[in-house]
Protein backbone atom coordinates (compact mmCIF):
# COMPACT_ATOMS: atom_id res chain seq x y z
CA UNK A 1 0.00 0.00 0.00
CA UNK A 2 1.30 3.45 -0.95
CA UNK A 3 0.29 6.52 1.04
CA UNK A 4 0.92 9.89 -0.62
CA UNK A 5 1.80 12.64 1.86
CA UNK A 6 1.90 16.35 1.11
CA UNK A 7 5.18 17.00 2.92
CA UNK A 8 4.93 20.78 2.65
CA UNK A 9 1.47 21.24 4.17
CA UNK A 10 0.81 22.19 7.79
CA UNK A 11 2.37 24.29 10.52
CA UNK A 12 5.09 21.73 11.25
CA UNK A 13 6.04 20.74 7.71
CA UNK A 14 8.19 19.04 6.63
CA UNK A 15 9.32 17.77 10.05
CA UNK A 16 6.01 16.28 11.22
CA UNK A 17 5.02 14.58 7.92
CA UNK A 18 8.50 13.16 7.40
CA UNK A 19 8.90 11.87 10.96
CA UNK A 20 5.46 10.26 10.89
CA UNK A 21 6.03 8.80 7.45
CA UNK A 22 9.30 7.17 8.48
CA UNK A 23 7.62 5.69 11.55
CA UNK A 24 4.74 4.40 9.42
CA UNK A 25 7.14 2.58 7.10
CA UNK A 26 8.49 0.64 10.07
CA UNK A 27 5.32 0.10 12.10
CA UNK A 28 2.42 0.06 9.62
CA UNK A 29 3.96 -1.87 6.71
CA UNK A 30 3.18 0.85 4.15
CA UNK A 31 5.17 2.61 1.45
CA UNK A 32 5.29 6.39 1.67
CA UNK A 33 5.45 8.89 -1.18
CA UNK A 34 6.46 12.35 -0.01
CA UNK A 35 5.50 15.21 -2.32
CA UNK A 36 7.28 18.55 -2.03
CA UNK A 37 10.64 20.24 -2.36
CA UNK A 38 13.02 17.32 -2.81
CA UNK A 39 16.11 18.89 -1.24
CA UNK A 40 14.14 19.96 1.84
CA UNK A 41 12.58 16.51 2.28
CA UNK A 42 15.92 14.75 1.76
CA UNK A 43 17.50 16.89 4.46
CA UNK A 44 14.72 15.97 6.89
CA UNK A 45 14.84 12.28 6.00
CA UNK A 46 18.53 12.18 6.94
CA UNK A 47 17.52 12.48 10.60
CA UNK A 48 15.74 9.11 10.68
CA UNK A 49 16.43 5.43 10.19
CA UNK A 50 14.02 3.61 7.88
CA UNK A 51 13.84 1.28 4.89
CA UNK A 52 14.79 3.66 2.07
CA UNK A 53 13.38 1.28 -0.54
CA UNK A 54 9.90 1.98 0.82
CA UNK A 55 10.11 5.77 0.58
CA UNK A 56 9.85 7.85 -2.58
CA UNK A 57 10.07 11.59 -3.13
CA UNK A 58 8.13 13.34 -5.88
CA UNK A 59 9.42 16.86 -6.39
CA UNK A 60 7.03 19.82 -6.28
CA UNK A 61 8.62 23.26 -6.16
CA UNK A 62 5.56 25.37 -5.39
CA UNK A 63 3.83 25.61 -2.03
CA UNK A 64 0.20 26.56 -1.42
CA UNK A 65 -0.30 29.12 1.37
CA UNK A 66 -3.30 29.76 3.60
CA UNK A 67 -3.99 32.92 1.62
CA UNK A 68 -4.40 31.20 -1.76
CA UNK A 69 -7.87 31.09 -3.29
CA UNK A 70 -8.70 27.37 -3.62
CA UNK A 71 -9.86 26.89 -7.22
CA UNK A 72 -7.39 29.47 -8.53
CA UNK A 73 -4.50 27.78 -6.70
CA UNK A 74 -5.38 24.38 -8.17
CA UNK A 75 -5.38 25.83 -11.68
CA UNK A 76 -2.39 28.16 -11.39
CA UNK A 77 -0.04 26.34 -9.00
CA UNK A 78 0.17 23.10 -10.93
CA UNK A 79 3.57 22.29 -9.43
CA UNK A 80 2.45 22.78 -5.83
CA UNK A 81 2.68 19.82 -3.48
CA UNK A 82 -1.12 19.49 -3.07
CA UNK A 83 -1.83 19.60 -6.81
CA UNK A 84 1.00 17.22 -7.72
CA UNK A 85 -0.11 14.82 -4.96
CA UNK A 86 -3.74 14.93 -6.15
CA UNK A 87 -2.71 14.17 -9.73
CA UNK A 88 -0.53 11.34 -8.48
CA UNK A 89 -3.51 9.83 -6.64
CA UNK A 90 -5.81 10.27 -9.64
CA UNK A 91 -3.37 8.50 -11.97
CA UNK A 92 -2.85 5.51 -9.68
CA UNK A 93 0.51 6.56 -8.29
CA UNK A 94 -0.69 5.89 -4.75
CA UNK A 95 -3.63 4.49 -2.81
CA UNK A 96 -4.54 7.44 -0.56
CA UNK A 97 -3.62 11.09 -0.12
CA UNK A 98 -2.96 12.89 3.17
CA UNK A 99 -2.37 16.62 3.52
CA UNK A 100 -2.18 18.98 6.48
CA UNK A 101 -2.18 21.99 4.15
CA UNK A 102 -4.76 24.55 3.03
CA UNK A 103 -8.19 22.96 3.53
CA UNK A 104 -9.91 24.83 0.73
CA UNK A 105 -7.22 23.99 -1.82
CA UNK A 106 -7.24 20.31 -0.82
CA UNK A 107 -11.04 20.22 -1.18
CA UNK A 108 -10.78 21.88 -4.59
CA UNK A 109 -8.06 19.43 -5.66
CA UNK A 110 -10.17 16.52 -4.43
CA UNK A 111 -13.14 17.71 -6.45
CA UNK A 112 -11.43 19.04 -9.59
CA UNK A 113 -8.58 16.54 -9.91
CA UNK A 114 -9.40 13.35 -8.02
CA UNK A 115 -13.07 13.72 -8.90
CA UNK A 116 -16.29 12.83 -7.12
CA UNK A 117 -18.06 9.52 -7.26
CA UNK A 118 -20.86 9.50 -9.83
CA UNK A 119 -24.09 10.25 -8.01
CA UNK A 120 -22.45 12.06 -5.09
CA UNK A 121 -23.76 15.60 -5.20
CA UNK A 122 -21.02 17.05 -2.99
CA UNK A 123 -18.08 15.38 -1.22
CA UNK A 124 -18.07 16.21 2.49
CA UNK A 125 -15.48 16.54 5.22
CA UNK A 126 -16.15 14.00 7.95
CA UNK A 127 -14.36 14.59 11.22
CA UNK A 128 -14.33 12.49 14.39
CA UNK A 129 -15.04 14.39 17.59
CA UNK A 130 -14.43 13.25 21.18
CA UNK A 131 -17.52 12.53 23.28
CA UNK A 132 -18.54 10.87 26.52
CA UNK A 133 -19.22 7.70 24.50
CA UNK A 134 -16.13 7.67 22.32
CA UNK A 135 -15.41 9.31 18.96
CA UNK A 136 -18.44 10.35 16.91
CA UNK A 137 -18.65 11.69 13.37
CA UNK A 138 -19.61 15.20 12.34
CA UNK A 139 -20.43 15.57 8.63
CA UNK A 140 -20.13 18.04 6.90
CA UNK A 141 -17.40 19.80 8.89
CA UNK A 142 -16.73 22.64 6.50
CA UNK A 143 -16.64 21.67 2.83
CA UNK A 144 -20.15 22.85 1.89
CA UNK A 145 -21.59 25.93 3.54
CA UNK A 146 -24.76 26.11 1.43
CA UNK A 147 -26.62 22.82 1.21
CA UNK A 148 -29.90 21.31 0.10
CA UNK A 149 -31.77 18.59 1.94
CA UNK A 150 -30.49 15.96 -0.52
CA UNK A 151 -26.92 16.89 0.42
CA UNK A 152 -27.53 16.31 4.14
CA UNK A 153 -29.12 12.95 3.40
CA UNK A 154 -26.11 11.86 1.37
CA UNK A 155 -23.79 13.08 4.12
CA UNK A 156 -25.68 10.87 6.57
CA UNK A 157 -25.44 7.83 4.30
CA UNK A 158 -21.72 8.10 3.51
CA UNK A 159 -20.94 8.99 7.12
CA UNK A 160 -22.74 5.84 8.27
CA UNK A 161 -20.77 3.75 5.77
CA UNK A 162 -17.50 5.15 7.13
CA UNK A 163 -18.41 4.57 10.78
CA UNK A 164 -19.45 1.01 10.00
CA UNK A 165 -16.31 0.10 8.08
CA UNK A 166 -13.61 2.09 9.86
CA UNK A 167 -14.97 2.36 13.41
CA UNK A 168 -16.60 -1.08 13.45
CA UNK A 169 -20.12 0.09 14.43
CA UNK A 170 -22.56 -2.38 12.89
CA UNK A 171 -25.60 -0.08 12.71
CA UNK A 172 -24.51 3.54 13.31
CA UNK A 173 -27.16 5.88 14.66
CA UNK A 174 -27.65 9.16 12.79
CA UNK A 175 -28.90 12.48 14.13
CA UNK A 176 -29.83 15.69 12.33
CA UNK A 177 -28.41 18.83 13.94
CA UNK A 178 -31.22 21.18 14.97
CA UNK A 179 -32.26 23.58 17.72
CA UNK A 180 -34.63 21.08 19.28
CA UNK A 181 -35.39 17.37 19.41
CA UNK A 182 -38.94 17.62 18.07
CA UNK A 183 -39.50 16.81 14.41
CA UNK A 184 -40.92 20.26 13.66
CA UNK A 185 -37.92 22.17 15.05
CA UNK A 186 -35.19 23.80 12.97
CA UNK A 187 -34.87 26.05 9.94
CA UNK A 188 -36.38 25.28 6.55
CA UNK A 189 -33.41 23.10 5.54
CA UNK A 190 -33.72 21.00 8.69
CA UNK A 191 -37.48 20.61 8.35
CA UNK A 192 -37.10 19.56 4.71
CA UNK A 193 -34.30 17.10 5.50
CA UNK A 194 -36.00 15.30 8.41
CA UNK A 195 -38.62 13.31 6.39
CA UNK A 196 -36.00 12.38 3.78
CA UNK A 197 -33.74 10.96 6.47
CA UNK A 198 -36.62 8.87 7.80
CA UNK A 199 -36.83 7.18 4.39
CA UNK A 200 -33.08 6.81 3.86
CA UNK A 201 -31.26 3.46 4.33
CA UNK A 202 -29.74 4.51 7.66
CA UNK A 203 -30.47 4.22 11.37
CA UNK A 204 -31.95 7.70 11.75
CA UNK A 205 -33.00 8.53 15.31
CA UNK A 206 -34.18 12.14 14.91
CA UNK A 207 -32.93 15.62 15.69
CA UNK A 208 -30.00 16.29 18.00
CA UNK A 209 -29.03 19.52 19.74
CA UNK A 210 -25.67 21.16 20.39
CA UNK A 211 -25.39 19.56 23.83
CA UNK A 212 -25.65 16.12 22.24
CA UNK A 213 -22.34 16.56 20.41
CA UNK A 214 -20.14 16.02 23.47
CA UNK A 215 -22.59 13.58 25.05
CA UNK A 216 -22.19 11.30 22.03
CA UNK A 217 -25.93 10.81 21.60
CA UNK A 218 -25.56 9.54 18.01
CA UNK A 219 -22.70 8.00 16.03
CA UNK A 220 -23.16 10.40 13.11
CA UNK A 221 -24.38 14.00 13.09
CA UNK A 222 -25.33 15.42 9.70
CA UNK A 223 -25.48 19.15 9.01
CA UNK A 224 -24.34 21.74 6.50
CA UNK A 225 -20.68 22.75 6.46
CA UNK A 226 -21.26 26.15 8.05
CA UNK A 227 -22.91 24.70 11.14
CA UNK A 228 -20.49 21.78 11.20
CA UNK A 229 -17.40 23.97 11.10
CA UNK A 230 -18.73 26.15 13.91
CA UNK A 231 -19.31 23.01 16.00
CA UNK A 232 -15.85 21.69 15.16
CA UNK A 233 -14.04 24.89 16.10
CA UNK A 234 -16.12 25.22 19.27
CA UNK A 235 -15.21 21.71 20.40
CA UNK A 236 -11.53 22.28 19.61
CA UNK A 237 -11.55 25.53 21.55
CA UNK A 238 -13.40 24.01 24.47
CA UNK A 239 -10.93 21.14 24.63
CA UNK A 240 -8.00 23.54 24.83
CA UNK A 241 -9.66 25.73 27.46
CA UNK A 242 -10.75 22.81 29.66
CA UNK A 243 -7.30 21.23 29.39
CA UNK A 244 -5.60 24.44 30.51
CA UNK A 245 -8.10 24.96 33.33
CA UNK A 246 -7.50 21.46 34.66
CA UNK A 247 -3.74 21.97 34.44
CA UNK A 248 -3.96 25.28 36.31
CA UNK A 249 -6.23 23.69 38.93
CA UNK A 250 -3.72 21.00 39.78
CA UNK A 251 -0.63 23.21 39.71
CA UNK A 252 -1.93 26.21 41.65
CA UNK A 253 -0.62 25.09 45.05
CA UNK A 254 1.41 22.44 46.82
CA UNK A 255 -1.74 20.68 48.04
CA UNK A 256 -3.27 20.61 44.56
CA UNK A 257 -0.04 19.15 43.17
CA UNK A 258 -0.15 16.42 45.80
CA UNK A 259 -3.78 15.74 44.88
CA UNK A 260 -2.83 15.51 41.22
CA UNK A 261 -0.57 12.56 41.98
CA UNK A 262 -3.58 10.47 43.02
CA UNK A 263 -5.58 11.21 39.87
CA UNK A 264 -2.69 11.30 37.42
CA UNK A 265 -3.79 8.27 35.41
CA UNK A 266 -7.32 9.60 35.12
CA UNK A 267 -6.01 12.99 34.02
CA UNK A 268 -3.87 11.37 31.34
CA UNK A 269 -6.87 9.40 30.06
CA UNK A 270 -8.98 12.55 30.00
CA UNK A 271 -6.31 14.41 28.07
CA UNK A 272 -5.99 11.55 25.60
CA UNK A 273 -9.75 11.39 25.02
CA UNK A 274 -9.84 15.11 24.17
CA UNK A 275 -6.71 15.07 21.99
CA UNK A 276 -7.48 15.46 18.27
CA UNK A 277 -4.14 13.79 17.53
CA UNK A 278 -5.64 10.46 18.53
CA UNK A 279 -8.31 10.62 15.82
CA UNK A 280 -6.21 11.21 12.72
CA UNK A 281 -7.66 13.46 10.04
CA UNK A 282 -10.96 14.23 8.36
CA UNK A 283 -11.67 12.06 5.30
CA UNK A 284 -13.17 13.79 2.29
CA UNK A 285 -16.00 11.34 1.63
CA UNK A 286 -17.44 11.15 -1.85
CA UNK A 287 -14.25 11.36 -3.94
CA UNK A 288 -13.17 8.53 -6.24
CA UNK A 289 -10.02 7.85 -4.23
CA UNK A 290 -9.27 8.25 -0.50
CA UNK A 291 -8.37 11.83 0.49
CA UNK A 292 -7.73 12.81 4.11
CA UNK A 293 -7.28 16.28 5.56
CA UNK A 294 -5.04 16.42 8.61
CA UNK A 295 -5.23 19.22 11.16
CA UNK A 296 -3.06 22.17 10.17
CA UNK A 297 -1.26 22.13 13.52
CA UNK A 298 -0.63 18.37 13.42
CA UNK A 299 2.60 17.18 15.03
CA UNK A 300 4.22 13.85 14.14
CA UNK A 301 1.85 11.92 16.43
CA UNK A 302 -1.21 13.40 14.72
CA UNK A 303 0.18 12.75 11.24
CA UNK A 304 0.96 9.14 12.21
CA UNK A 305 -2.65 8.70 13.39
CA UNK A 306 -3.85 10.11 10.08
CA UNK A 307 -1.64 7.65 8.17
CA UNK A 308 -3.19 4.79 10.16
CA UNK A 309 -6.59 6.18 9.26
CA UNK A 310 -5.64 6.36 5.57
CA UNK A 311 -4.45 2.76 5.66
CA UNK A 312 -7.74 1.57 7.12
CA UNK A 313 -9.66 3.68 4.60
CA UNK A 314 -7.90 1.82 1.79
CA UNK A 315 -8.28 -1.60 3.39
CA UNK A 316 -12.06 -1.31 3.76
CA UNK A 317 -14.65 -1.16 1.00
CA UNK A 318 -15.92 2.31 1.82
CA UNK A 319 -15.75 3.76 -1.68
CA UNK A 320 -17.28 0.65 -3.27
CA UNK A 321 -20.13 0.76 -0.75
CA UNK A 322 -20.73 4.45 -1.36
CA UNK A 323 -20.92 3.72 -5.08
CA UNK A 324 -23.45 0.99 -4.34
CA UNK A 325 -25.63 3.28 -2.22
CA UNK A 326 -25.51 6.48 -4.24
CA UNK A 327 -26.49 6.39 -7.89
CA UNK A 328 -28.68 7.85 -10.63
CA UNK A 329 -27.44 11.42 -10.49
CA UNK A 330 -27.58 11.74 -6.74
CA UNK A 331 -30.81 9.90 -6.00
CA UNK A 332 -30.70 7.69 -2.92
CA UNK A 333 -31.36 3.98 -3.32
Amino acid sequence: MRIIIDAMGGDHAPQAPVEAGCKAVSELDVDIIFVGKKEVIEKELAKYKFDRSRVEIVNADEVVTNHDEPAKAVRSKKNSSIVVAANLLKNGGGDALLSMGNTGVLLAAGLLIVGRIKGVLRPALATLLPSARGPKMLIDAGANTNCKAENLVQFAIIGSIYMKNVMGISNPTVGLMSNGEEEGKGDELTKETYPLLKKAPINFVGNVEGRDVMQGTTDVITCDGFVGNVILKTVEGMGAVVGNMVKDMFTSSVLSKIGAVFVLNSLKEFKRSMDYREYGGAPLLGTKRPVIKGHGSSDAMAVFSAIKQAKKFVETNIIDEIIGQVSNGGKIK
Side-chain angles (χ1 to χ4, degrees):
M1 185 185 301
R2 296 168 297 175
I3 308 296
I4 304 167
I5 300 179
D6 169 17
M8 311 311 294
D11 299 339
H12 303 293
Q15 179 271 324
V18 170
E19 180 181 343
C22 292
K23 182 180 180 182
V25 166
S26 302
E27 298 184 17
L28 300 181
D29 190 29
V30 296
D31 294 342
I32 298 294
I33 303 172
F34 291 113
V35 181
K37 295 181 179 180
K38 186 172 183 179
E39 68 278 7
V40 175
I41 297 172
E42 288 280 15
K43 183 178 180 180
E44 194 65 33
L45 282 172
K47 301 177 182 179
Y48 307 100
K49 293 182 179 180
F50 57 95
D51 184 349
R52 194 64 174 80
S53 67
R54 306 199 69 171
V55 172
E56 179 183 352
I57 301 175
V58 175
N59 188 59
D61 293 324
E62 293 181 282
V63 177
V64 168
T65 71
N66 289 330
H67 303 291
D68 283 318
E69 193 276 322
K72 184 178 179 180
V74 170
R75 295 187 176 98
S76 63
K77 291 190 172 182
K78 296 187 181 299
N79 198 35
S80 64
S81 54
I82 289 182
V83 174
V84 171
N87 277 297
L88 194 62
L89 180 67
K90 174 187 176 181
N91 296 321
D95 299 298
L97 165 60
L98 168 63
S99 175
M100 279 59 65
N102 184 305
T103 301
V105 176
L106 180 65
L107 295 178
L111 182 61
L112 300 175
I113 297 176
V114 180
R116 62 183 173 86
I117 295 169
K118 183 179 180 180
V120 170
L121 300 175
R122 297 183 184 182
L125 271 179
T127 189
L128 294 178
L129 297 178
S131 81
R133 302 175 186 176
K136 305 298 180 181
M137 174 172 285
L138 177 70
I139 182 171
D140 180 20
N144 306 281
T145 54
N146 296 303
C147 294
K148 296 180 180 179
E150 291 81 1
N151 301 134
L152 270 60
V153 174
Q154 281 199 344
F155 298 164
I157 291 173
I158 60 180
S160 295
I161 291 171
Y162 187 90
M163 292 299 279
K164 182 183 72 174
N165 286 275
V166 174
M167 302 305 292
I169 301 172
S170 60
N171 190 26
T173 54
V174 177
L176 173 63
M177 179 53 62
S178 184
N179 64 335
E181 297 179 355
E182 298 84 1
E183 182 172 346
K185 286 294 184 71
D187 57 12
E188 290 304 313
L189 175 61
T190 306
K191 293 176 183 177
E192 186 180 350
T193 303
Y194 194 103
L196 296 181
L197 287 171
K198 290 173 69 175
K199 299 176 183 178
I202 55 174
N203 184 13
F204 179 56
V205 296
N207 286 340
V208 293
E209 301 178 85
R211 62 187 177 190
D212 294 308
V213 175
M214 297 307 295
Q215 290 178 354
T217 304
T218 61
D219 299 308
V220 178
I221 296 175
T222 184
C223 57
D224 66 72
F226 180 85
V227 171
N229 196 254
V230 170
I231 292 173
L232 172 62
K233 297 300 173 60
T234 300
V235 171
E236 288 178 347
M238 184 190 69
V241 170
V242 171
N244 289 332
M245 289 177 65
V246 171
K247 181 180 178 181
D248 292 342
M249 184 188 306
F250 283 103
T251 58
S252 60
S253 67
V254 174
L255 287 178
S256 62
K257 290 179 180 179
I258 294 174
V261 173
F262 296 98
V263 294
L264 185 60
N265 289 335
S266 296
L267 288 174
K268 288 181 177 178
E269 179 59 27
F270 170 76
K271 182 180 179 181
R272 187 197 65 77
S273 68
M274 296 294 293
D275 193 346
Y276 74 88
R277 298 178 302 171
E278 297 282 347
Y279 300 103
L284 181 60
L285 298 181
T287 54
K288 293 178 179 178
R289 308 292 300 279
V291 176
I292 292 180
K293 172 64 177 73
H295 202 290
S297 61
S298 293
D299 58 11
M301 174 184 169
V303 179
F304 182 74
S305 294
I307 296 173
K308 287 194 295 184
Q309 183 182 27
K311 183 174 186 286
K312 198 162 186 178
F313 197 151
V314 175
E315 290 172 339
T316 59
N317 65 337
I318 296 172
I319 291 179
D320 288 341
E321 192 165 340
I322 291 174
I323 293 172
Q325 284 280 6
V326 184
S327 62
N328 301 322
K331 294 185 182 300
I332 307 301
K333 285 187 174 182

